[in-house]
Amino acid sequence: MTTNPLLADWDTPFQLPPFAQIEPAHFAEAFDVAMAQARRDIDLIAAQDDEATFENTVVAMERSGEALTRVARTFFNLTGAHTSEALQKTERAVAPKLAKHGSDTLLNASLSDRIAALWDKRDTLGLNDEEARVLERYHKMFQRAGASLDTAGKARMAEISQRLATLGTDFSQHVLKDESDFQLVLETEEDRAGLPDFLLTAAAEAARERGLDGKHVITLSRSSIEPFLQFSTNRALREEAFRAWTSRGETGGETDNRAIIQETLALRAEKSRLLGFKTFAEFKLDDTMAKTPDNVRNLLTTVWEPAVAQAREEEARLAEMARSGGENHPIEAWDWRHYSEKVRKAEHDLDETELKPYLQLENIIKAAFDTAGRLFGVSFRELEGMPVYHPDVRVFEALDRSGTHIGLFLGDYFARPSKRSGAWMSAFRSQHKLDGNVSPIIVNVMNFSRGAPGAATLLTFDDARTLFHEFGHGLHGLLSDVTYPMISGTSVARDFVELPSQLYEHWLSQPEILSEFAVHYKTGAQMPADLLDKLLAAANFNQGFSTVEYTASALIDLELHLLEDPGSLDVADFEKKALSRIGMPEAITMRHRIPHFQHVFSGDGYSAGYYSYMWSEVMDADAFEAFEEARDIFDPRTAKNLLTHIYSAGGRQDPEEAYVAFRGRAPKINALLKKRGFAA
């Protein structure tokens, strides 16, 4: 094989990965070489005769494995955003190898002894606050990996880690296959009944991309299926599409995830017992702001009860709307979005077809950039001709107030079969100052339905909110200003990481932003004042439904990981009984049913942690009130505090301390209840 571009020096602009030169076959070799190099780095640190110091142990660890980090970030960004059968095959092969590499590092007795020795004498090392925090995170990481276990325990932990890596990869690939294999082809006028022009245009483009020119296709991308469920008057097709959407990972074939879920939960429970915890939920939450399952349950049930009550009132109004149109069937899950759109139109004189012409993708991107500029002095300029992994990807340079380079921001906005569903932020490179100023390369990935060639792509308001949300994460990575990679950017507690993203959503809903950037895609006219007023007045419309579908998922996630012996779990039976116990309305389905709950089972990022969005929402609602109290949504002093203590601070500080440093006090849950319309 010729020189592997993944292992060579990158002479690309800003040292972006040289995507045009990278082939799937390069990754297997690159991982093997980079892992071997990283192992040599680690072994040299562990084998030192010199007494452990922060410099020769922690800083050396921070510098180790640079090539592996670079290869892995390139690879996993591709497997999420633009995968292929070849990449998926490599992913299945490399996942257990990477898990073994991690276990070999964190269970290395000599290395963990050095970290423990530093921890024991931490008060005598003369560390600054950031260094002390980095040492704390290293010590915690080694302990939670099993560094204190005996030889047999360490061996079992390594086996569990490798198997979980394989299971998580299989789970994710199964969901992607179910999503990419499904297409609802709308052949007749009856099939297309009720669909507005914007959805027909997007469906025609989806068909063209799948080689079905002249037809219309609905996919399982949220930006495709949700408006179909809203507007289609063909109830049978709504049911067909909804069942496909909610049965991903539960098809009974080779992509069925239920056995994977059983084994994953059993292994997580075993891992937790080895580490001295009764359940996986207790283990996972021990290193979060929430700390305990009881604290999580208390938060979720505080919101659950008023949400269910409101959802039942909403359902009654939907049933009344259906009856008014001569339809007397009970409201089913595939009916909810359809009739709620009708009720919103009746109660608020507002519907999506009226809003969408004013929500152009290009203008919402500009609005997100403009908000960052007014808050933090950041500007963005688009760069042409940059190396990208797909032609859809756009590259922007982020600059500070003086015009100095901060980092690169990549935007990948459109749905395609090679991309997993959802929306996320990731990094090709994280900011740090360990060896000079290393600037970040951040990417936001979305799944919006593309407009017709040459025409504007129009968003729903939920789409626009998603863009702001992910850009909030992006800013958390771009504005990071720390020395050590360990605590860079979004490397914070899981139930704190959603604060910068959810807080950023608030600015989208402000008249000051909408009046400037919500302009008609054809005429350029501003959104009329009465339409803007109606949009803001309807902010909490259907909030019972939205809160119930999310909170049910969070509660079920928690209950799954409180099982002490989940080995014989019947996934469908557990889901049904657990939802019955909490009083789940029959007409609402969990936002993420267990068989396709990627947050929880495609790796363990949000396992026992899906509550994090609501935990962070308590903070984001309270945090935005700081701007409202200042009577200026761009108040310079408040924005400076927000930048200093939240957006640029990474994981430099304990998250509770970071929030108090910004707000001057702990957050109050009343702000969340008020935001969702459950309190005056």
Side-chain angles (χ1 to χ4, degrees):
M1 185 179 289
T2 57
T3 301
N4 191 320
L6 289 162
L7 299 171
D9 291 335
W10 293 351
D11 59 1
T12 50
F14 304 99
Q15 293 188 310
L16 279 160
F19 294 109
Q21 302 170 33
I22 297 171
E23 299 174 4
H26 288 133
F27 280 105
E29 179 199 25
F31 270 117
D32 287 344
V33 171
M35 274 191 275
Q37 181 180 321
R39 177 57 43 219
R40 290 192 295 272
D41 292 345
I42 295 298
D43 288 347
L44 285 172
I45 297 168
Q48 294 177 91
D49 292 329
D50 293 345
E51 182 181 3
T53 66
F54 186 80
E55 186 69 28
N56 71 18
T57 302
V58 174
V59 174
M61 286 282 291
E62 287 287 82
R63 288 195 171 108
S64 68
E66 182 180 348
L68 180 57
T69 299
R70 188 171 67 168
V71 171
R73 287 190 168 183
T74 303
F75 179 75
F76 287 110
N77 274 298
L78 288 177
T79 58
H82 191 41
T83 195
S84 64
E85 289 186 11
L87 286 175
Q88 289 182 327
K89 181 179 179 181
T90 300
E91 187 179 15
R92 292 191 292 271
V94 80
K97 291 182 180 179
L98 286 171
K100 182 179 187 303
H101 174 82
S103 295
D104 289 347
T105 299
L106 296 173
L107 299 176
N108 181 309
S110 297
L111 187 58
S112 62
D113 285 348
R114 295 180 73 84
I115 296 294
L118 289 172
W119 180 248
D120 289 343
K121 60 182 180 182
R122 58 192 179 278
D123 294 335
T124 68
L125 298 176
L127 303 179
N128 63 33
D129 290 345
E130 185 173 337
E131 291 165 344
R133 179 67 172 169
V134 171
L135 175 58
E136 176 194 332
R137 296 314 302 161
Y138 266 97
H139 177 256
K140 178 83 73 171
M141 180 174 68
F142 273 84
Q143 293 304 304
R144 288 174 65 79
S148 297
L149 297 175
D150 60 19
T151 301
K154 287 181 178 179
R156 182 56 183 154
M157 282 291 284
E159 291 173 356
I160 289 172
S161 295
Q162 291 173 57
R163 182 58 182 160
L164 284 174
T166 295
L167 292 171
T169 299
D170 289 346
F171 186 97
S172 182
Q173 291 188 2
H174 289 175
V175 175
L176 177 60
K177 182 161 179 44
D178 281 355
E179 290 170 349
S180 58
D181 283 355
F182 177 83
Q183 55 184 29
L184 180 64
V185 183
L186 309 179
E187 301 277 7
T188 67
E189 287 301 318
E190 184 182 1
D191 293 346
R192 296 185 289 272
L195 303 186
D197 288 344
F198 77 79
L199 183 53
L200 289 171
T201 298
E205 180 63 15
R208 187 190 65 79
E209 291 174 347
R210 288 159 177 76
L212 298 172
D213 294 58
K215 295 184 180 295
H216 296 82
V217 165
I218 299 300
T219 72
L220 295 185
S221 166
R222 190 172 290 273
S223 290
S224 175
I225 194 166
E226 283 202 330
F228 179 77
L229 294 170
Q230 278 180 293
F231 294 107
S232 175
T233 55
N234 188 321
R235 190 166 187 251
L237 285 187
R238 289 205 311 269
E239 180 178 358
E240 180 183 344
F242 185 83
R243 290 192 182 280
W245 193 28
T246 56
S247 64
R248 291 166 291 157
E250 195 184 35
T251 57
E254 62 179 13
T255 61
D256 196 289
N257 277 330
R258 285 171 288 189
I260 289 176
I261 292 164
Q262 289 178 345
E263 187 178 356
T264 297
L265 290 170
L267 290 173
R268 287 174 177 172
E270 182 184 355
K271 172 182 176 178
S272 304
R273 290 192 297 271
L274 283 169
L275 294 171
F277 293 88
K278 189 176 180 181
T279 66
F280 183 79
E282 292 175 39
F283 161 71
K284 191 69 181 291
L285 294 169
D286 184 62
D287 192 33
T288 65
M289 294 182 74
K291 301 301 183 190
T292 70
D294 283 346
N295 288 340
V296 171
R297 187 182 283 109
N298 288 341
L299 169 69
L300 295 175
T301 54
T302 296
V303 177
W304 175 257
E305 293 173 4
V308 169
Q310 183 163 315
R312 295 196 185 284
E313 293 176 5
E314 292 167 0
E315 183 180 357
R317 295 204 298 275
L318 302 189
E320 183 180 348
M321 175 60 71
R323 287 193 296 271
S324 72
E327 299 181 52
N328 296 316
H329 54 73
I331 298 298
E332 303 284 1
W334 49 88
D335 297 319
W336 193 291
R337 289 170 177 82
H338 181 68
Y339 289 107
S340 67
E341 185 65 21
K342 291 179 177 292
V343 171
R344 183 169 72 157
K345 175 66 174 174
E347 293 184 356
H348 296 280
D349 191 23
L350 183 70
D351 65 37
E352 204 69 67
T353 59
E354 190 177 9
L355 280 175
K356 206 162 184 181
Y358 294 94
L359 299 174
Q360 301 172 62
L361 171 60
E362 195 64 31
N363 272 17
I364 301 302
I365 295 171
K366 289 177 181 177
F369 288 172
D370 181 75
T371 299
R374 297 173 72 176
L375 284 170
F376 307 127
V378 188
S379 62
F380 294 84
R381 66 181 179 194
E382 189 160 8
L383 305 176
E384 303 292 343
M386 295 291 106
V388 290
Y389 57 84
H390 188 278
D392 286 347
V393 179
R394 299 168 65 179
V395 181
F396 302 87
E397 183 180 14
L399 307 165
D400 67 14
R401 294 183 194 276
S402 67
T404 302
H405 175 85
I406 295 174
L408 290 187
F409 173 73
L410 280 58
D412 182 0
Y413 296 107
F414 299 118
R416 53 179 172 268
S418 63
K419 182 190 290 187
R420 66 178 170 88
S421 63
W424 63 94
M425 166 266 184
S426 186
F428 284 96
R429 184 173 69 215
S430 292
Q431 177 274 333
H432 66 83
K433 294 184 283 190
L434 201 57
D435 296 300
N437 284 322
V438 174
S439 62
I441 301 176
I442 303 299
V443 59
N444 273 179
V445 184
M446 316 287 176
N447 271 282
F448 301 142
S449 296
R450 188 198 304 270
T457 291
L458 304 179
L459 306 181
T460 66
F461 196 73
D462 280 345
D463 287 338
R465 186 184 291 115
T466 296
L467 189 149
F468 263 66
H469 177 100
E470 297 305 335
F471 191 65
H473 281 309
L475 287 174
H476 200 188
L478 282 170
L479 299 176
S480 177
D481 185 19
V482 300
T483 300
Y484 298 97
M486 166 63 81
I487 57 170
S488 177
T490 57
S491 300
V492 297
R494 180 63 65 183
D495 48 9
F496 187 76
V497 76
E498 296 299 333
L499 169 60
S501 56
Q502 292 179 182
L503 175 58
Y504 207 72
E505 293 178 32
H506 286 261
W507 276 273
L508 172 65
S509 300
Q510 300 306 304
E512 198 167 339
I513 296 298
L514 289 171
S515 61
E516 181 174 356
F517 293 99
V519 300
H520 198 280
Y521 78 104
K522 287 184 178 178
T523 67
Q526 285 186 339
M527 181 183 286
D530 63 334
L531 179 56
L532 177 56
D533 290 343
K534 289 187 288 187
L535 171 62
L536 299 177
N540 280 321
F541 175 77
N542 213 31
Q543 187 60 249
F545 167 84
S546 299
T547 303
V548 164
E549 67 162 4
Y550 161 76
T551 310
S553 295
L555 284 165
I556 297 307
D557 167 40
L558 180 67
E559 297 304 326
L560 281 169
H561 290 100
L562 282 170
L563 294 172
E564 295 182 41
D565 183 19
S568 59
L569 179 73
D570 181 319
V571 173
D573 184 62
F574 176 89
E575 182 178 291
K576 181 179 179 180
K577 289 179 178 176
L579 291 174
S580 177
R581 280 196 304 273
I582 64 175
M584 181 75 163
E586 291 185 7
I588 303 178
T589 301
M590 295 164 63
R591 186 168 181 83
H592 304 286
R593 292 193 56 242
I594 297 173
H596 56 257
F597 205 163
Q598 296 198 74
H599 285 78
V600 172
F601 292 107
S602 294
D604 71 351
Y606 281 88
S607 53
Y610 193 62
Y611 76 92
S612 299
Y613 291 92
M614 188 162 284
W615 191 275
S616 291
E617 191 175 350
V618 173
M619 292 183 285
D620 83 63
D622 185 77
F624 193 72
E625 284 191 351
F627 287 91
E628 293 177 325
E629 290 162 9
R631 301 191 177 189
D632 180 358
I633 62 169
F634 295 107
D635 176 61
R637 180 180 176 186
T638 309
K640 182 179 180 181
N641 284 338
L642 184 62
L643 175 63
T644 300
H645 299 295
I646 307 295
Y647 280 89
S648 72
R652 184 190 298 128
Q653 198 171 8
D654 176 86
E656 289 184 26
E657 295 173 3
Y659 188 84
V660 171
F662 161 65
R663 192 68 168 101
R665 57 166 175 75
K668 299 177 180 179
I669 194 172
N670 284 350
L672 166 64
L673 297 175
K674 180 180 176 182
K675 174 188 172 185
R676 287 190 173 245
F678 301 143

